[in-house]
Amino acid sequence: MSITVVGSIAYDRVKTPFGERERMLGGAATHFALAASFFDEVNVVGPVGEDFGDAELAVVATRGTHIGDVERVPGGKTFFWHGEYGWDLGSRETLATELGVFADFQPKLSEPSSQADVLFLANIQPDLQREVHEQCQAARFSALDSMNLWIDTARESLVGVIERVDCVILNDAELRQLTGKPNLLTAAREVLSWGPSVVVAKQGEYGAALVTADSFFALPAYPLETVIDPTGAGDTFAGGFVGYVARHVEQGLGDQVLRQAMAYGTALASFNVEEFGAERVTRLTADEVHERVGELRRITHFEEAPVELTT
Ligand code: AMP
């Protein structure tokens, strides 16, 4: 099995109450690939500018991720995002988004990227997501992420892509904004009625919820006492979720597979927030991931032990 991801490959400037980074490796596709590469072969599709360093490219290529479709544009500038978080990390403000080389990007996928079994359309302009989706005819499972910027500026194209994918992974506030439904379950059901069979609502420090036509499942975030920078947590979650799905797509995606995928996504995202940007996940080991999934299972498990209630 193999996974293709298209999305931003970026330099991020980030300030949290615990420090700041002027220019660190970021981007939705980067965070996704670092997590998904624990499970399967990953092809990253997207442009970078002439300013993009070889050291950063080597990080994108961690665990054998293919970077043949990462196009370095001569004279171009790498996507740049600048954000700042509030005191409890619960809110963040985007101070700048510079599309740079993404403004003129016309994806032309190589054979291995277009033949992938699983496709992840990470957060980027929805028209680009659609162009890549059209080139990936072999995909048996496709998922999509997006954000408020695209809901505000390109809602129609975004809905057009959502109609074509199997799974939508969005922040719960974005799910409500996209559908105009104030209730999370109703919003998820609305998206399911457009075509996808799985909706995942990311809820930041509160975890994530999974909604399909006939089931619901939720996990809290893994409890951490030290959270430094949530940037990329959503994409790292998606990398774990979609990566797990990719390894099981042949056997069919039952409820159990999707629940396990939620656990791996949650565990991987929890590492991401422990340090700035991709710093922690770049050094992460498979044993650490397994251990945290086990801990997550222990803290969320409870036995069936009904007590007689007064009527
Ligand atoms: P997350 O914290 O999961 O929402 O992802 C943050 C990452 O998304 C950062 O590394 C940014 O470079 C990237 N990003 C922020 N805004 C956008 C945007 N409008 N389009 C694509 N990627 C973005």
Side-chain angles (χ1 to χ4, degrees):
M1 297 289 120
S2 64
I3 306 170
T4 289
V5 55
V6 61
S8 52
I9 305 162
Y11 278 122
D12 289 345
R13 177 176 170 190
V14 171
K15 188 173 180 188
T16 82
F18 310 102
E20 54 193 303
R21 292 285 185 275
E22 280 292 314
R23 193 172 161 82
M24 66 181 181
L25 172 64
T30 305
H31 289 291
F32 176 91
L34 279 168
S37 56
F38 275 107
F39 301 85
D40 224 323
E41 257 181 51
V42 180
N43 307 289
V44 176
V45 177
V48 294
E50 205 170 278
D51 55 344
F52 199 69
D54 289 339
E56 284 84 353
L57 200 56
V59 174
V60 177
T62 298
R63 282 178 285 280
T65 288
H66 300 290
I67 50 170
D69 281 347
V70 176
E71 182 191 336
R72 200 189 288 257
V73 180
K77 218 174 149 271
T78 299
F79 183 101
F80 175 75
W81 177 74
H82 179 192
E84 193 170 326
Y85 291 81
W87 74 283
D88 65 352
L89 298 173
S91 61
R92 93 172 166 201
E93 194 184 350
T94 290
L95 299 170
T97 302
E98 294 169 16
L99 290 182
V101 286
F102 268 98
D104 304 311
F105 179 51
Q106 292 179 330
K108 272 180 218 68
L109 272 59
S110 63
E111 183 76 7
S113 295
S114 64
Q115 290 307 309
D117 310 281
V118 168
L119 172 64
F120 185 63
L121 304 167
N123 177 22
I124 198 64
Q125 222 287 339
D127 291 328
L128 286 178
Q129 293 182 314
R130 201 191 47 232
E131 282 175 44
V132 171
H133 186 267
E134 277 166 7
Q135 292 178 47
C136 288
Q137 298 292 334
R140 301 188 209 182
F141 179 85
S142 55
L144 164 152
D145 184 15
S146 191
M147 71 182 297
N148 53 356
L149 174 67
W150 309 121
I151 301 172
D152 288 336
T153 61
R155 185 180 179 281
E156 211 177 303
S157 341
L158 178 59
V159 172
V161 200
I162 290 177
E163 287 169 352
R164 293 169 162 83
V165 297
D166 302 297
C167 172
V168 168
I169 303 177
L170 277 181
N171 287 341
D172 68 353
E174 291 160 354
L175 209 51
R176 293 174 221 255
Q177 184 193 352
L178 174 70
T179 57
K181 308 269 184 207
N183 175 282
L184 183 64
L185 262 185
T186 318
R189 298 231 181 277
E190 171 82 13
V191 172
L192 290 174
S193 77
W194 298 346
S197 52
V198 181
V199 171
V200 177
K202 296 176 285 181
Q203 300 168 307
E205 64 172 313
Y206 303 108
L210 171 91
V211 186
T212 68
D214 47 21
S215 73
F216 177 87
F217 178 66
L219 277 179
Y222 180 81
L224 290 169
E225 284 191 30
T226 308
V227 176
I228 300 294
D229 171 26
T231 307
D235 309 304
T236 307
F237 172 91
F241 182 88
V242 173
Y244 190 91
V245 163
R247 284 283 287 278
H248 296 82
V249 77
E250 246 172 339
Q251 74 192 52
L253 295 182
D255 210 35
Q256 285 312 316
V257 169
L258 293 173
R259 287 179 178 220
Q260 296 285 341
M262 290 280 287
Y264 275 88
T266 300
L268 276 151
S270 74
F271 287 108
N272 175 272
V273 305
E274 288 181 344
E275 293 179 22
F276 273 94
E279 290 168 11
R280 178 69 181 94
V281 181
T282 303
R283 318 191 301 280
L284 190 61
T285 66
D287 285 346
E288 289 174 311
V289 177
H290 282 134
E291 197 182 325
R292 192 155 288 183
V293 170
E295 285 169 32
L296 190 62
R297 191 163 53 77
R298 278 188 289 283
I299 61 171
T300 53
H301 176 84
F302 66 93
E303 301 286 339
E304 187 173 4
V307 62
E308 215 170 285
L309 299 174
T310 310
T311 54

